[in-house]
């Protein structure tokens, strides 16, 4: 009874008062997510071209207990891609690159069977058909930790079978953006890092941003951490030689606000190229050049057209969303993984549009505590009860998948299986959820069950290359027996 009364009081207290200023409401939202252990980092919210709120939470370095500030530098993962796209369009604007020329026009060493078929436009819009690195089963950590020259890394994927005929569908490919980065190096004779600094960061006084390599000492750069059961762990290592153009940039929230204003004011790109960048691409994701360009739903009944991107890389998470109609921006950079990108964003957007905000406790965080104290089976039982209590709890399928992967990464495969089986029953239309269960069955030697679920992944998303490749290997191995 006491717990029910506490939760009722908590929900009442987190119903943000309409009398509060927008700044106060935004602050309270971020404080609450921090209390939930779902946000450590910095955040900035702008409306009508002006900052209405910025703040920082948690530790930039846990070993030395150094706090995050609004000028802390964070790795931004795939939020690098919109900036890479802008950099490529600057080269187009200079006349150094043509959107409709092919990879082979700029990189003669690239596989002819693919290079002659794929255009710069298709690389920018993820419609090239190039697969993503996750088609390699053991990319993490076997390949991700290695140093590669540009040419060595190109050879890793340039002969890959394309997912589809270029220009016909959408398929997210970090390899496509690595290719863009290398093309820019070839046509300018400069490194990607040097070109990015000269053409964007220096021009906008983005002095807290750069292209990172792990041997560098960067003042005020945060360390990356992963939430784990009962605490934090330091994130894994990745060699940035294989993230050039795709996820090797660091930045501050204030620098990304400068970038937003430069886009709005056409400081870097002319109006025509800016319009092309933000033209919605192939459905359903409507990815333009470096940005998802679509209506963003922040309540069940309300949405607004936006340009956005998210990023994840070894202990860091980032989210940036622009709302052109009001010249607004929400950006948060986080050095503890995972978090609820979309929940945080929707809550902040509600404040901008004067909608009520009720913050509920995330089910997966409550389950973390139960797993640590009572075990996975009890946590799944509690999930069923919390699922019904929609007044006080909410469920995020991505975070539930992350929770299972925490167990998987700790090699607690039987426990991960229990959680993933529950997830698969709860979210049967989410291919990543089904994929997690298939991989766990495979790790446990349950090959037949793994095949069943890899097929279910393909039924939900025919373009899931990881499931396709694993099925092919398992079925080939079965045929040999």
């Amino acid at each position: 009874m006491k717990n029910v009364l506490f939760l009722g009081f908590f929900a009442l207290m987190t119903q943000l008062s309409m009398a509060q200023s927008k700044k106060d409401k935004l602050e309270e939202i971020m404080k609450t997510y921090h209390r939930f252990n779902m946000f450590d980092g910095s955040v900035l919210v702008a409306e009508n071209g002006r900052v209405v709120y910025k703040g920082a939470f948690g530790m930039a370095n846990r070993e030395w207990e150094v706090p995050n500030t609004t000028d802390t530098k964070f790795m931004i993962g795939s939020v690098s891609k919109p900036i890479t796209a802008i950099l490529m369009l600057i080269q187009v604007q200079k006349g150094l690159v043509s959107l409709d020329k092919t990879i082979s026009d700029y990189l003669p060493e690239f596989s002819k069977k693919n290079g002659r078929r794929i255009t710069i436009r298709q690389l920018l819009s993820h419609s090239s058909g190039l697969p993503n690195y996750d088609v390699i089963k053991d990319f993490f950590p076997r390949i991700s930790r290695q140093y590669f020259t540009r040419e060595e890394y190109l050879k890793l994927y340039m002969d890959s079978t394309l997912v589809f005929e270029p220009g016909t569908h959408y398929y997210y490919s970090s390899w496509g953006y690595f290719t863009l980065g290398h093309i820019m190096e070839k046509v300018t004779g400069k490194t990607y890092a040097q070109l990015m600094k000269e053409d964007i960061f220096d021009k906008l006084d983005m002095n807290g941003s750069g292209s990172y390599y792990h041997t560098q000492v960067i003042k005020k750069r945060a360390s990356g951490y992963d939430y784990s059961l009962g605490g934090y762990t330091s994130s894994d290592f990745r060699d940035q030689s294989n993230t050039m153009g795709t996820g090797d940039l660091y930045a501050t929230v204030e620098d990304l606000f400068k970038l937003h204003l430069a886009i709005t004011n056409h400081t870097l790109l002319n109006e025509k190229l800016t319009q092309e960048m933000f033209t919605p691409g192939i459905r359903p994701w409507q990815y333009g050049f470096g940005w998802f360009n679509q209506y963003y739903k922040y309540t069940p009944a309300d949405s607004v057209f936006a340009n956005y991107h998210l990023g994840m890389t070894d202990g860091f998470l980032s989210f940036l969303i622009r709302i052109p109609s009001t010249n607004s921006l929400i950006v948060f950079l986080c050095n503890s993984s995972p978090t609820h990108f979309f929940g945080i964003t929707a809550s902040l957007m509600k404040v901008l549009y004067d909608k009520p905000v009720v913050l509920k406790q995330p089910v997966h965080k409550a389950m973390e505590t139960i797993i640590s104290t009572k075990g996975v089976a009890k946590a799944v039982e509690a999930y069923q009860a919390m699922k019904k209590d929609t007044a006080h709890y909410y469920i995020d399928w991505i975070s539930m998948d992350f929770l299972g992967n925490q167990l998987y990464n700790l090699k607690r495969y039987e426990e991960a299986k229990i959680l993933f089986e529950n997830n698969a029953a709860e979210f049967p239309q989410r291919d990543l959820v089904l994929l997690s269960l298939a991989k766990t069955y495979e790790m446990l030697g349950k090959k037949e069950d793994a095949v069943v679920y890899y097929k279910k992944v393909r039924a939900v998303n025919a373009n899931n290359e990881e499931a396709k490749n694993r099925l092919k290997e398992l079925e080939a191995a079965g045929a040999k027996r």
Side-chain angles (χ1 to χ4, degrees):
M1 182 64 182
K2 286 181 180 178
N3 287 340
V4 173
L5 289 172
F6 170 76
L7 286 169
F9 175 74
F10 179 80
L12 179 66
M13 292 302 291
T14 54
Q15 170 91 41
L16 301 181
S17 167
M18 295 304 289
Q20 287 178 292
S21 70
K22 284 186 177 180
K23 180 181 177 181
D24 291 340
K25 292 177 185 178
L26 295 165
E27 173 83 8
E28 186 59 34
I29 287 168
M30 297 314 299
K31 281 182 176 178
T32 303
Y33 278 109
H34 178 61
R35 285 197 299 268
F36 285 158
N37 282 338
M38 290 184 68
F39 186 77
D40 297 291
S42 58
V43 56
L44 182 148
V45 181
E47 186 176 36
N48 298 316
R50 295 187 177 186
V51 175
V52 294
Y53 171 71
K54 60 182 178 180
F57 301 85
M59 295 294 159
N61 184 283
R62 292 188 171 275
E63 289 87 342
W64 288 93
E65 296 187 338
V66 177
N68 281 315
T69 65
T70 55
D71 64 348
T72 299
K73 299 165 186 172
F74 297 85
M75 299 301 296
I76 61 173
S78 287
V79 171
S80 301
K81 288 184 174 72
I83 309 177
T84 296
I86 292 170
L87 187 63
M88 175 54 85
L89 292 173
I90 291 172
Q91 310 319 307
V92 172
Q93 193 167 257
K94 292 177 186 175
L96 296 176
V97 177
S98 170
L99 288 171
D100 294 311
K101 284 194 173 182
T102 67
I103 296 174
S104 293
D105 289 321
Y106 301 104
L107 302 178
E109 68 274 24
F110 202 89
S111 163
K112 295 294 185 292
K113 73 171 186 176
N114 291 334
R116 289 174 176 169
R117 300 163 62 196
I118 298 170
T119 66
I120 307 306
R121 184 185 300 277
Q122 291 161 351
L123 291 173
L124 284 166
S125 60
H126 289 309
S127 61
S128 70
L130 279 175
N132 198 34
Y133 55 72
D134 53 13
V135 299
I136 300 176
K137 181 184 176 184
D138 57 350
F139 185 89
F140 296 101
R142 181 177 65 85
I143 292 172
S144 64
R145 293 177 179 175
Q146 291 185 45
Y147 168 79
F148 292 88
T149 65
R150 303 292 196 240
E151 292 74 18
E152 287 170 343
Y153 196 63
L154 283 179
K155 289 177 182 176
L156 185 71
Y157 66 84
M158 68 182 187
D159 285 313
S160 299
T161 301
L162 298 185
V163 182
F164 47 72
E165 183 63 25
T168 60
H169 298 284
Y170 165 89
Y171 189 86
Y172 189 91
S173 175
S174 288
W175 284 341
Y177 268 69
F178 182 93
T179 307
L180 288 169
H182 191 42
I183 287 171
M184 287 188 278
E185 292 182 325
K186 285 285 190 175
V187 300
T188 64
K190 299 175 181 179
T191 65
Y192 170 84
Q194 181 185 2
L195 191 63
M196 183 66 74
K197 182 177 186 299
E198 292 177 2
D199 279 6
I200 296 182
F201 296 154
D202 285 352
K203 289 184 178 180
L204 301 182
D205 292 324
M206 292 175 64
N207 300 317
S209 301
S211 175
Y212 180 69
Y213 193 69
H214 65 267
T215 55
Q216 294 174 311
V217 176
I218 306 294
K219 289 183 179 180
K220 294 191 175 182
R221 191 183 78 88
S223 300
Y225 300 94
D226 295 315
Y227 287 124
S228 59
L229 298 171
Y232 295 85
T233 57
S234 292
S235 63
D236 200 356
F237 168 76
R238 184 170 184 182
D239 193 295
Q240 284 76 34
S241 66
N242 60 67
T243 65
M244 181 272 300
T246 78
D248 70 327
L249 299 183
Y250 61 87
T252 67
V253 291
E254 292 167 331
D255 275 1
L256 293 173
F257 175 59
K258 292 177 182 178
L259 180 70
H260 163 70
L261 292 180
I263 293 168
T264 302
N265 297 329
H266 304 296
T267 306
L268 297 173
L269 289 178
N270 63 41
E271 191 169 348
K272 179 178 180 297
L273 286 173
T274 302
Q275 186 176 351
E276 283 199 71
M277 180 168 71
F278 291 139
T279 298
I282 296 170
R283 291 180 180 275
W285 292 106
Q286 298 179 280
Y287 199 93
F289 296 163
W291 302 80
F292 295 96
N293 301 312
Q294 57 184 242
Y295 278 86
Y296 193 94
K297 184 174 282 192
Y298 57 94
T299 77
D302 298 289
S303 63
V304 63
F305 187 79
N307 324 119
Y308 68 92
H309 215 291
L310 54 84
M312 296 184 284
T313 184
D314 302 300
F316 292 91
L317 297 165
S318 53
F319 196 91
L320 183 154
I321 183 166
R322 303 179 66 254
I323 305 166
S325 60
T326 57
N327 194 16
S328 298
L329 172 76
I330 293 171
V331 56
F332 53 87
L333 307 178
C334 186
N335 66 319
S336 51
S337 173
T339 191
H340 188 193
F341 298 102
F342 303 115
I344 293 174
T345 304
S347 295
L348 298 176
M349 287 181 77
K350 286 174 186 175
V351 173
L352 291 184
Y353 288 95
D354 298 314
K355 301 292 182 182
V357 181
V358 178
L359 297 179
K360 303 174 186 180
Q361 187 168 0
V363 166
H364 69 281
K365 298 305 289 187
M367 289 181 72
E368 278 184 10
T369 302
I370 299 170
I371 289 170
S372 298
T373 56
K374 299 180 181 179
V376 175
K378 290 293 184 184
V380 170
E381 284 181 26
Y383 170 91
Q384 296 301 329
M386 289 185 284
K387 182 175 94 168
K388 297 173 183 175
D389 187 2
T390 56
H392 302 117
Y393 292 97
Y394 81 91
I395 297 168
D396 170 40
W397 72 267
I398 296 177
S399 297
M400 290 295 295
D401 187 59
F402 270 125
L403 181 59
N405 276 295
Q406 288 183 48
L407 293 167
Y408 184 95
N409 293 333
L410 291 169
K411 303 189 188 312
R412 294 162 62 175
Y413 300 122
E414 286 289 351
E415 293 169 281
K417 177 180 75 72
I418 294 170
L419 191 55
F420 284 141
E421 285 176 339
N422 182 70
N423 287 353
E426 292 292 312
F427 317 110
Q429 296 304 311
R430 299 292 185 180
D431 63 317
L432 293 181
V433 168
L434 302 176
L435 182 66
S436 293
L437 180 55
K439 288 160 66 174
T440 306
Y441 279 143
E442 187 176 358
M443 187 60 69
L444 289 169
K446 298 176 179 292
K447 307 294 185 186
E448 291 182 2
D449 290 331
V451 167
V452 168
Y453 272 86
Y454 281 129
K455 287 181 177 178
K456 287 186 177 185
V457 173
R458 296 277 290 156
V460 171
N461 179 5
N463 288 328
N464 191 302
E465 287 294 295
E466 186 174 0
K468 176 183 173 182
N469 292 340
R470 295 306 307 138
L471 263 178
K472 190 182 296 183
E473 289 183 27
L474 286 172
E475 289 172 345
K480 290 179 181 177
R481 287 201 298 269

PDB file of all heavy atoms in Angstrom, residues 138-158:
ATOM      1  N   ASP A 138      31.133 -11.034 -36.370  1.00  0.00           N
ATOM      2  CA  ASP A 138      32.020 -10.678 -35.260  1.00  0.00           C
ATOM      3  C   ASP A 138      32.714  -9.342 -35.489  1.00  0.00           C
ATOM      4  O   ASP A 138      33.864  -9.151 -35.085  1.00  0.00           O
ATOM      5  CB  ASP A 138      33.050 -11.786 -35.018  1.00  0.00           C
ATOM      6  CG  ASP A 138      33.875 -12.094 -36.271  1.00  0.00           C
ATOM      7  OD1 ASP A 138      33.526 -11.599 -37.361  1.00  0.00           O
ATOM      8  OD2 ASP A 138      34.872 -12.836 -36.150  1.00  0.00           O
ATOM      9  N   PHE A 139      32.009  -8.412 -36.150  1.00  0.00           N
ATOM     10  CA  PHE A 139      32.596  -7.083 -36.368  1.00  0.00           C
ATOM     11  C   PHE A 139      33.046  -6.476 -35.040  1.00  0.00           C
ATOM     12  O   PHE A 139      34.130  -5.906 -34.934  1.00  0.00           O
ATOM     13  CB  PHE A 139      31.581  -6.166 -37.058  1.00  0.00           C
ATOM     14  CG  PHE A 139      32.154  -4.823 -37.417  1.00  0.00           C
ATOM     15  CD1 PHE A 139      32.779  -4.627 -38.639  1.00  0.00           C
ATOM     16  CD2 PHE A 139      32.093  -3.754 -36.524  1.00  0.00           C
ATOM     17  CE1 PHE A 139      33.338  -3.385 -38.968  1.00  0.00           C
ATOM     18  CE2 PHE A 139      32.645  -2.515 -36.842  1.00  0.00           C
ATOM     19  CZ  PHE A 139      33.271  -2.334 -38.068  1.00  0.00           C
ATOM     20  N   PHE A 140      32.162  -6.584 -34.020  1.00  0.00           N
ATOM     21  CA  PHE A 140      32.558  -6.197 -32.669  1.00  0.00           C
ATOM     22  C   PHE A 140      32.934  -7.465 -31.903  1.00  0.00           C
ATOM     23  O   PHE A 140      32.132  -8.393 -31.825  1.00  0.00           O
ATOM     24  CB  PHE A 140      31.409  -5.492 -31.949  1.00  0.00           C
ATOM     25  CG  PHE A 140      30.992  -4.195 -32.569  1.00  0.00           C
ATOM     26  CD1 PHE A 140      29.872  -4.124 -33.378  1.00  0.00           C
ATOM     27  CD2 PHE A 140      31.719  -3.039 -32.346  1.00  0.00           C
ATOM     28  CE1 PHE A 140      29.472  -2.920 -33.944  1.00  0.00           C
ATOM     29  CE2 PHE A 140      31.325  -1.836 -32.913  1.00  0.00           C
ATOM     30  CZ  PHE A 140      30.204  -1.777 -33.717  1.00  0.00           C
ATOM     31  N   PRO A 141      34.135  -7.597 -31.345  1.00  0.00           N
ATOM     32  CA  PRO A 141      35.210  -6.603 -31.324  1.00  0.00           C
ATOM     33  C   PRO A 141      36.338  -6.881 -32.333  1.00  0.00           C
ATOM     34  O   PRO A 141      37.271  -6.101 -32.410  1.00  0.00           O
ATOM     35  CB  PRO A 141      35.739  -6.759 -29.906  1.00  0.00           C
ATOM     36  CG  PRO A 141      35.615  -8.238 -29.655  1.00  0.00           C
ATOM     37  CD  PRO A 141      34.375  -8.689 -30.398  1.00  0.00           C
ATOM     38  N   ARG A 142      36.245  -7.989 -33.088  1.00  0.00           N
ATOM     39  CA  ARG A 142      37.406  -8.403 -33.886  1.00  0.00           C
ATOM     40  C   ARG A 142      37.863  -7.324 -34.847  1.00  0.00           C
ATOM     41  O   ARG A 142      39.058  -7.037 -34.950  1.00  0.00           O
ATOM     42  CB  ARG A 142      37.075  -9.695 -34.667  1.00  0.00           C
ATOM     43  CG  ARG A 142      38.241 -10.215 -35.511  1.00  0.00           C
ATOM     44  CD  ARG A 142      37.880 -11.521 -36.198  1.00  0.00           C
ATOM     45  NE  ARG A 142      36.820 -11.385 -37.182  1.00  0.00           N
ATOM     46  CZ  ARG A 142      37.022 -11.010 -38.446  1.00  0.00           C
ATOM     47  NH1 ARG A 142      38.239 -10.711 -38.879  1.00  0.00           N
ATOM     48  NH2 ARG A 142      36.008 -10.913 -39.293  1.00  0.00           N
ATOM     49  N   ILE A 143      36.921  -6.703 -35.567  1.00  0.00           N
ATOM     50  CA  ILE A 143      37.280  -5.696 -36.566  1.00  0.00           C
ATOM     51  C   ILE A 143      37.241  -4.293 -35.981  1.00  0.00           C
ATOM     52  O   ILE A 143      38.089  -3.455 -36.292  1.00  0.00           O
ATOM     53  CB  ILE A 143      36.340  -5.819 -37.782  1.00  0.00           C
ATOM     54  CG1 ILE A 143      36.618  -7.149 -38.505  1.00  0.00           C
ATOM     55  CG2 ILE A 143      36.501  -4.643 -38.739  1.00  0.00           C
ATOM     56  CD1 ILE A 143      35.638  -7.480 -39.592  1.00  0.00           C
ATOM     57  N   SER A 144      36.271  -4.036 -35.107  1.00  0.00           N
ATOM     58  CA  SER A 144      36.090  -2.668 -34.589  1.00  0.00           C
ATOM     59  C   SER A 144      37.317  -2.162 -33.838  1.00  0.00           C
ATOM     60  O   SER A 144      37.551  -0.952 -33.780  1.00  0.00           O
ATOM     61  CB  SER A 144      34.858  -2.610 -33.680  1.00  0.00           C
ATOM     62  OG  SER A 144      35.039  -3.428 -32.534  1.00  0.00           O
ATOM     63  N   ARG A 145      38.112  -3.061 -33.269  1.00  0.00           N
ATOM     64  CA  ARG A 145      39.281  -2.636 -32.498  1.00  0.00           C
ATOM     65  C   ARG A 145      40.544  -2.491 -33.344  1.00  0.00           C
ATOM     66  O   ARG A 145      41.574  -2.044 -32.846  1.00  0.00           O
ATOM     67  CB  ARG A 145      39.556  -3.651 -31.383  1.00  0.00           C
ATOM     68  CG  ARG A 145      38.475  -3.698 -30.311  1.00  0.00           C
ATOM     69  CD  ARG A 145      38.782  -4.762 -29.288  1.00  0.00           C
ATOM     70  NE  ARG A 145      37.770  -4.811 -28.229  1.00  0.00           N
ATOM     71  CZ  ARG A 145      37.756  -5.730 -27.264  1.00  0.00           C
ATOM     72  NH1 ARG A 145      38.688  -6.667 -27.226  1.00  0.00           N
ATOM     73  NH2 ARG A 145      36.810  -5.717 -26.347  1.00  0.00           N
ATOM     74  N   GLN A 146      40.480  -2.867 -34.604  1.00  0.00           N
ATOM     75  CA  GLN A 146      41.672  -2.849 -35.462  1.00  0.00           C
ATOM     76  C   GLN A 146      41.892  -1.486 -36.108  1.00  0.00           C
ATOM     77  O   GLN A 146      40.941  -0.761 -36.406  1.00  0.00           O
ATOM     78  CB  GLN A 146      41.537  -3.874 -36.583  1.00  0.00           C
ATOM     79  CG  GLN A 146      41.586  -5.322 -36.160  1.00  0.00           C
ATOM     80  CD  GLN A 146      41.559  -6.243 -37.364  1.00  0.00           C
ATOM     81  OE1 GLN A 146      42.256  -6.027 -38.342  1.00  0.00           O
ATOM     82  NE2 GLN A 146      40.731  -7.274 -37.283  1.00  0.00           N
ATOM     83  N   TYR A 147      43.172  -1.206 -36.393  1.00  0.00           N
ATOM     84  CA  TYR A 147      43.507  -0.040 -37.196  1.00  0.00           C
ATOM     85  C   TYR A 147      43.492  -0.439 -38.670  1.00  0.00           C
ATOM     86  O   TYR A 147      43.999  -1.502 -39.046  1.00  0.00           O
ATOM     87  CB  TYR A 147      44.898   0.493 -36.836  1.00  0.00           C
ATOM     88  CG  TYR A 147      45.393   1.517 -37.844  1.00  0.00           C
ATOM     89  CD1 TYR A 147      44.924   2.830 -37.796  1.00  0.00           C
ATOM     90  CD2 TYR A 147      46.271   1.157 -38.866  1.00  0.00           C
ATOM     91  CE1 TYR A 147      45.335   3.766 -38.736  1.00  0.00           C
ATOM     92  CE2 TYR A 147      46.689   2.089 -39.807  1.00  0.00           C
ATOM     93  CZ  TYR A 147      46.222   3.390 -39.742  1.00  0.00           C
ATOM     94  OH  TYR A 147      46.619   4.298 -40.673  1.00  0.00           O
ATOM     95  N   PHE A 148      42.907   0.407 -39.517  1.00  0.00           N
ATOM     96  CA  PHE A 148      42.867   0.184 -40.966  1.00  0.00           C
ATOM     97  C   PHE A 148      43.340   1.441 -41.686  1.00  0.00           C
ATOM     98  O   PHE A 148      42.981   2.560 -41.286  1.00  0.00           O
ATOM     99  CB  PHE A 148      41.438  -0.105 -41.448  1.00  0.00           C
ATOM    100  CG  PHE A 148      40.867  -1.406 -40.999  1.00  0.00           C
ATOM    101  CD1 PHE A 148      40.188  -1.499 -39.782  1.00  0.00           C
ATOM    102  CD2 PHE A 148      40.983  -2.547 -41.783  1.00  0.00           C
ATOM    103  CE1 PHE A 148      39.643  -2.697 -39.371  1.00  0.00           C
ATOM    104  CE2 PHE A 148      40.430  -3.750 -41.379  1.00  0.00           C
ATOM    105  CZ  PHE A 148      39.767  -3.839 -40.167  1.00  0.00           C
ATOM    106  N   THR A 149      44.116   1.254 -42.752  1.00  0.00           N
ATOM    107  CA  THR A 149      44.274   2.370 -43.681  1.00  0.00           C
ATOM    108  C   THR A 149      42.959   2.527 -44.428  1.00  0.00           C
ATOM    109  O   THR A 149      42.106   1.635 -44.408  1.00  0.00           O
ATOM    110  CB  THR A 149      45.405   2.098 -44.689  1.00  0.00           C
ATOM    111  OG1 THR A 149      45.027   0.986 -45.524  1.00  0.00           O
ATOM    112  CG2 THR A 149      46.723   1.799 -43.985  1.00  0.00           C
ATOM    113  N   ARG A 150      42.778   3.658 -45.112  1.00  0.00           N
ATOM    114  CA  ARG A 150      41.543   3.858 -45.868  1.00  0.00           C
ATOM    115  C   ARG A 150      41.350   2.734 -46.884  1.00  0.00           C
ATOM    116  O   ARG A 150      40.254   2.180 -47.039  1.00  0.00           O
ATOM    117  CB  ARG A 150      41.571   5.204 -46.603  1.00  0.00           C
ATOM    118  CG  ARG A 150      41.790   6.421 -45.711  1.00  0.00           C
ATOM    119  CD  ARG A 150      40.613   6.674 -44.798  1.00  0.00           C
ATOM    120  NE  ARG A 150      40.652   7.998 -44.236  1.00  0.00           N
ATOM    121  CZ  ARG A 150      40.703   8.257 -42.927  1.00  0.00           C
ATOM    122  NH1 ARG A 150      40.733   7.267 -42.040  1.00  0.00           N
ATOM    123  NH2 ARG A 150      40.700   9.509 -42.488  1.00  0.00           N
ATOM    124  N   GLU A 151      42.418   2.406 -47.597  1.00  0.00           N
ATOM    125  CA  GLU A 151      42.328   1.391 -48.647  1.00  0.00           C
ATOM    126  C   GLU A 151      42.013   0.017 -48.067  1.00  0.00           C
ATOM    127  O   GLU A 151      41.230  -0.751 -48.639  1.00  0.00           O
ATOM    128  CB  GLU A 151      43.642   1.336 -49.439  1.00  0.00           C
ATOM    129  CG  GLU A 151      43.918   2.574 -50.288  1.00  0.00           C
ATOM    130  CD  GLU A 151      44.341   3.798 -49.459  1.00  0.00           C
ATOM    131  OE1 GLU A 151      44.755   3.630 -48.289  1.00  0.00           O
ATOM    132  OE2 GLU A 151      44.242   4.913 -50.005  1.00  0.00           O
ATOM    133  N   GLU A 152      42.596  -0.305 -46.916  1.00  0.00           N
ATOM    134  CA  GLU A 152      42.328  -1.598 -46.275  1.00  0.00           C
ATOM    135  C   GLU A 152      40.862  -1.710 -45.864  1.00  0.00           C
ATOM    136  O   GLU A 152      40.233  -2.758 -46.035  1.00  0.00           O
ATOM    137  CB  GLU A 152      43.221  -1.770 -45.043  1.00  0.00           C
ATOM    138  CG  GLU A 152      44.677  -2.046 -45.375  1.00  0.00           C
ATOM    139  CD  GLU A 152      45.574  -1.958 -44.150  1.00  0.00           C
ATOM    140  OE1 GLU A 152      45.136  -1.373 -43.109  1.00  0.00           O
ATOM    141  OE2 GLU A 152      46.706  -2.435 -44.225  1.00  0.00           O
ATOM    142  N   TYR A 153      40.319  -0.617 -45.336  1.00  0.00           N
ATOM    143  CA  TYR A 153      38.933  -0.682 -44.882  1.00  0.00           C
ATOM    144  C   TYR A 153      37.970  -0.753 -46.060  1.00  0.00           C
ATOM    145  O   TYR A 153      36.967  -1.481 -46.003  1.00  0.00           O
ATOM    146  CB  TYR A 153      38.609   0.518 -43.987  1.00  0.00           C
ATOM    147  CG  TYR A 153      37.340   0.310 -43.176  1.00  0.00           C
ATOM    148  CD1 TYR A 153      37.264  -0.719 -42.237  1.00  0.00           C
ATOM    149  CD2 TYR A 153      36.231   1.127 -43.344  1.00  0.00           C
ATOM    150  CE1 TYR A 153      36.112  -0.922 -41.499  1.00  0.00           C
ATOM    151  CE2 TYR A 153      35.073   0.936 -42.606  1.00  0.00           C
ATOM    152  CZ  TYR A 153      35.017  -0.090 -41.689  1.00  0.00           C
ATOM    153  OH  TYR A 153      33.862  -0.310 -40.960  1.00  0.00           O
ATOM    154  N   LEU A 154      38.261  -0.037 -47.141  1.00  0.00           N
ATOM    155  CA  LEU A 154      37.427  -0.148 -48.345  1.00  0.00           C
ATOM    156  C   LEU A 154      37.355  -1.591 -48.829  1.00  0.00           C
ATOM    157  O   LEU A 154      36.290  -2.081 -49.222  1.00  0.00           O
ATOM    158  CB  LEU A 154      37.976   0.728 -49.468  1.00  0.00           C
ATOM    159  CG  LEU A 154      37.746   2.236 -49.417  1.00  0.00           C
ATOM    160  CD1 LEU A 154      38.397   2.893 -50.626  1.00  0.00           C
ATOM    161  CD2 LEU A 154      36.266   2.581 -49.374  1.00  0.00           C
ATOM    162  N   LYS A 155      38.488  -2.290 -48.799  1.00  0.00           N
ATOM    163  CA  LYS A 155      38.534  -3.677 -49.281  1.00  0.00           C
ATOM    164  C   LYS A 155      37.661  -4.609 -48.447  1.00  0.00           C
ATOM    165  O   LYS A 155      37.227  -5.653 -48.927  1.00  0.00           O
ATOM    166  CB  LYS A 155      39.975  -4.185 -49.297  1.00  0.00           C
ATOM    167  CG  LYS A 155      40.835  -3.555 -50.387  1.00  0.00           C
ATOM    168  CD  LYS A 155      42.286  -4.053 -50.307  1.00  0.00           C
ATOM    169  CE  LYS A 155      43.144  -3.384 -51.377  1.00  0.00           C
ATOM    170  NZ  LYS A 155      44.568  -3.779 -51.261  1.00  0.00           N
ATOM    171  N   LEU A 156      37.405  -4.201 -47.215  1.00  0.00           N
ATOM    172  CA  LEU A 156      36.578  -5.030 -46.327  1.00  0.00           C
ATOM    173  C   LEU A 156      35.150  -5.170 -46.852  1.00  0.00           C
ATOM    174  O   LEU A 156      34.505  -6.198 -46.656  1.00  0.00           O
ATOM    175  CB  LEU A 156      36.574  -4.403 -44.928  1.00  0.00           C
ATOM    176  CG  LEU A 156      35.881  -5.161 -43.807  1.00  0.00           C
ATOM    177  CD1 LEU A 156      36.698  -6.386 -43.429  1.00  0.00           C
ATOM    178  CD2 LEU A 156      35.695  -4.259 -42.586  1.00  0.00           C
ATOM    179  N   TYR A 157      34.646  -4.134 -47.547  1.00  0.00           N
ATOM    180  CA  TYR A 157      33.225  -4.149 -47.915  1.00  0.00           C
ATOM    181  C   TYR A 157      32.920  -3.831 -49.375  1.00  0.00           C
ATOM    182  O   TYR A 157      31.791  -4.005 -49.827  1.00  0.00           O
ATOM    183  CB  TYR A 157      32.448  -3.166 -47.029  1.00  0.00           C
ATOM    184  CG  TYR A 157      32.802  -1.706 -47.214  1.00  0.00           C
ATOM    185  CD1 TYR A 157      32.214  -0.938 -48.221  1.00  0.00           C
ATOM    186  CD2 TYR A 157      33.711  -1.080 -46.362  1.00  0.00           C
ATOM    187  CE1 TYR A 157      32.531   0.405 -48.384  1.00  0.00           C
ATOM    188  CE2 TYR A 157      34.029   0.261 -46.517  1.00  0.00           C
ATOM    189  CZ  TYR A 157      33.442   0.997 -47.529  1.00  0.00           C
ATOM    190  OH  TYR A 157      33.753   2.316 -47.681  1.00  0.00           O
ATOM    191  N   MET A 158      33.902  -3.379 -50.144  1.00  0.00           N
ATOM    192  CA  MET A 158      33.556  -2.834 -51.466  1.00  0.00           C
ATOM    193  C   MET A 158      33.025  -3.876 -52.450  1.00  0.00           C
ATOM    194  O   MET A 158      32.320  -3.529 -53.403  1.00  0.00           O
ATOM    195  CB  MET A 158      34.752  -2.092 -52.068  1.00  0.00           C
ATOM    196  CG  MET A 158      35.922  -2.951 -52.452  1.00  0.00           C
ATOM    197  SD  MET A 158      37.258  -1.899 -53.097  1.00  0.00           S
ATOM    198  CE  MET A 158      38.411  -3.171 -53.656  1.00  0.00           C
TER     199      MET A 158
END
